């Protein structure tokens, strides 16, 4: 791919909130819950993570999965400590794609400042940003998609402030994922 012309092209990247993404990877790959974890991934990913961090495999907890197989797992605090150690060693680019920081995936060849729009799927202004990027001026001038004058259902999205919308993202409530200690939150903030 020729990335040299990239910044002159219209572009959009949707990222996941980094904190929610990491917590989601823990929940689906390594938590100690046979009903919620991809056990094949857990048996493959966890040894790799501990090896990267330089930790003994003895820190695993185990549960028996639906097929009667002993499956390794980590509680959230231990998982965050492992990830923190990996980050301290500068090895975060070597972790499984589910846990790898997005800047080492989405922005590997082109930094976030070179993309036209960088946002999350939860961004309230996403529709307006897409309209502007795609040149759908009539919808913007008429108050946005959904405006009754543009044939929508009457729900108005005000796209007049689309220029003020930045590239930042915010983290919603993390409590929907799990209960975290203050130390867990501090580590999560340090590595995302």
């Amino acid at each position: 791919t020729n990335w040299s012309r990239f910044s002159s092209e219209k572009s959009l990247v949707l990222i996941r909130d980094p904190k929610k993404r990491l917590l989601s990877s823990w929940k689906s790959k390594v938590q100690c819950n046979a009903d919620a974890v991809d056990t094949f991934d857990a048996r493959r990913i966890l040894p790799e993570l501990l090896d990267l961090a330089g930790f003994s495999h003895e820190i695993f907890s185990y549960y028996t999965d639906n097929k009667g197989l002993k499956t390794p797992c980590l509680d959230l605090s231990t998982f965050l400590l492992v990830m923190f150690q990996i980050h301290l060693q500068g090895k975060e680019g070597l972790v499984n794609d589910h846990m790898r920081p997005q800047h080492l995936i989405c922005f590997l060849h082109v930094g976030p400042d070179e993309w036209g729009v960088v946002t999350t799927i939860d961004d309230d202004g996403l529709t307006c940003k897409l309209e502007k990027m795609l040149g759908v001026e009539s919808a913007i001038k008429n108050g946005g998609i959904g405006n009754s004058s543009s044939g929508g259902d009457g729900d108005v999205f005000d796209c007049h402030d689309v220029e003020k919308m930045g590239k930042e993202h915010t983290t919603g409530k993390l409590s929907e994922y799990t209960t975290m200690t203050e130390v867990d939150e501090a580590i999560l903030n340090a590595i995302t």
Side-chain angles (χ1 to χ4, degrees), residues 12-15 117-134 145 157-159 162 165-166:
L12 170 112
V13 64
L14 292 174
I15 60 170
V117 178
V118 177
T119 190
T120 64
I121 196 70
D122 299 330
D123 182 352
D124 291 335
L126 178 58
T127 302
C128 299
K129 290 174 183 178
L130 280 170
E131 286 179 4
K132 182 169 180 10
M133 187 179 88
L134 297 173
I145 294 174
F157 296 99
D158 184 4
C159 293
V162 75
M165 297 176 188

Side-chain angles (χ1 to χ4, degrees), residues 54-83:
F55 288 173
S56 166
H57 291 203
E58 293 178 13
I59 69 169
F60 285 140
S61 294
Y62 289 91
Y63 65 89
T64 303
D65 69 14
N66 310 7
K67 297 176 184 171
L69 297 173
K70 187 175 171 182
T71 302
C73 61
L74 295 175
D75 62 59
L76 178 62
S77 295
T78 305
F79 170 72
L80 291 173
L81 286 172
V82 167
M83 294 302 295

Side-chain angles (χ1 to χ4, degrees), residues 6-44:
F6 186 84
S7 61
S8 64
E9 302 292 327
K10 291 181 181 179
S11 60
L12 170 112
V13 64
L14 292 174
I15 60 170
R16 286 186 68 189
D17 177 283
K19 291 174 178 52
K20 287 182 179 180
R21 182 173 178 266
L22 189 60
L23 292 174
S24 174
S25 72
W26 167 75
K27 283 188 80 164
S28 70
K29 304 296 178 197
V30 298
Q31 74 169 317
C32 297
N33 181 343
D35 296 326
V37 172
D38 180 333
T39 56
F40 173 78
D41 278 348
R43 286 192 290 276
R44 182 177 54 85

